[in-house]
Amino acid sequence: MKINDLRIDRKRLQKSLEEMAKIGATPGGGVQRLTLSDEDKRARDLLVQWLKGLDLTITVDEMGNIFGRRGGKNNDLPPVMSGSHIDSQPKGGRFDGILGVMGPLEVLHTLNENKVETERPLEIVAWTNEEGCRFPPAMVSSGVWSGALDKQWAYDKTDVDGKRFEDELIRIGYKGDEPAEKRPVHAYYEYHIEQGPILEKNGIDIGAPKGILCLHWYDIYLEGEANQVGPTPMEGRHDALCAASEMILKVNDVPEKMGGNMVATVGEIQNYPNSRNIIPDGVHFTVDIRSWDDEKAIQAWNSLQLDFEAIAKRRGCPIRIEETWRVNHAPFDENLVQRVLETADELGHSKLHMVSGAGHDASYMNQVCPTAMIFVPSINGRSHVEVEETTWEDCANGANVLLHCMIKAANDI
Ligand code: GLV
Ligand code: MN
Ligand code: MN
C-alpha cells in the first residue's frame, strides 16, 4: 500500500476509547478519573498493557509521565512525540485528554501492522495531572518535564483532603525512576477535542490552533465575622460571602472592560462554616484569566486586585491573595501548524486556523520543541461535562491527520 493511502482503524480507535470510558464511568455518561486516583491507576495500567502489546520501550518518569517509544531507522535522531492526558475533571467527559492518548496509540498500531518504518523514533506520552482540579495547577507534569516548574513544588501540592501529590503518585505505583527532564524532541503533536463551539458551528472537520491562550490562576481567601443570622442586624456585618459575591461579578465583567479575546471565571468556591443560619466567616475562591495577550491578562488582574481590596475594606473582611500559577500564551510552530492544515487538505477534510482557549500540555511542550495541535469538533461545544461528545467519524478523521503528520515529521531529516 502507498503510504499516502494509509488509514487508521476507526473501529479499533472507537473500541479503545470505549474501554477507557469504562474506567471511572459516571451515571451521566461521562468519566471521573481524577489525577492519581484509583481510576487513574486503572487507566494507566490498561494503557501500559496496550503499549506492551505494541512492543514499545516503556518508561515512567519521576512525575508519573508514561512514554512508549517505537524505534526508527536512526535512533540517534530526536523523536516525534504525541500525547495528552488520562486524568479528567470531576464528572468530566469521555474524550478530553484520552483522545490524545488513544489517537497516537492507534497511529502506532497502524504503523506496526503495516510494517511502516520511519527515519526517526516515534513516542507516545501520557502526562500526569493535566487538569489540575485535584492538585492545582494544571499541566503540572509537562511543566516539570519542560523545566518550567519545580518538581519538589509539584510533589508538595495537596488536595482538599490534605493528601500530597508525591504520596499519591507512590501509592498508585507510578513514581518512576526516569528523570522528569526535557530532552531533544523533533516535533510534538497533541490531538484533542476542541472543547468549544467553533468547528461545529462552521461545519469544519479539523482545527489547527495557532496557539493557546495564556492561563493565570489566583486563589483568594476572605475572612468575615461569624454570628447568629437572626439577631444580628444587617448593619455592621462582616459577611465574607457577600464580599466574595461582589468580587465574583467583577471577575465576570473584566473581559468586557479589557477588550481582546479574554475570558475570566470563578469556578471554585468554599464557604465557611457553610450553615444557613451563620454569617459566613471564611471564603476561598479561585480566579482563572485567559487571553492571547499576556500583558492584558496582567492588567486585568491588577485592576481586579484594586477592586478586591476596596470591597474587602468596605466590608471589613480581611483578604489574602495567592498568585497561584501563570503560563504565557503559546504561539505554536508555524511550519507544524501549516503541516496540520495541509494534511487535513490532502485527506479531504475542511480545516480552520484558530486559537485554543483550553489549556493543554502542548503549552509547555511548545517551550521545548516545535509544537502543534489537531482539533476535532465538540458536539454543542460542550466539554468538562458528562455530555461531552465527539462523533466516531470525527475521532477517526483527526487520528488520520495525526497519522500523516507524524509520518511526515518522522521522515524529516
Ligand atoms: C484544562 O483543561 C483547562 O483548564 O483548559
Ligand atoms: Mn485536555
Ligand atoms: Mn480538560
Side-chain angles (χ1 to χ4, degrees), residues 84-85 96-97 130-131 190 192 195 359-360 384:
S84 194
H85 59 100
D96 177 3
E130 190 274 347
E131 295 291 0
E190 186 162 343
H192 212 280
Q195 308 188 268
H360 301 287
H384 281 186

Side-chain angles (χ1 to χ4, degrees), residues 5 13 44 47 87 91 104-105 143 146 195 197 201 220 226 247 256 260 265 294 296 300 307 324 332 345 348 353 362:
D5 296 333
L13 175 63
R44 285 163 177 267
L47 174 68
D87 65 320
K91 289 196 181 167
L105 183 83
S146 70
Q195 308 188 268
K201 223 179 228 168
I220 317 301
M247 294 175 193
E256 197 176 338
T265 311
D294 306 62
K296 271 227 162 90
D307 287 337
T324 307
F332 290 155
D345 247 351
H353 197 208

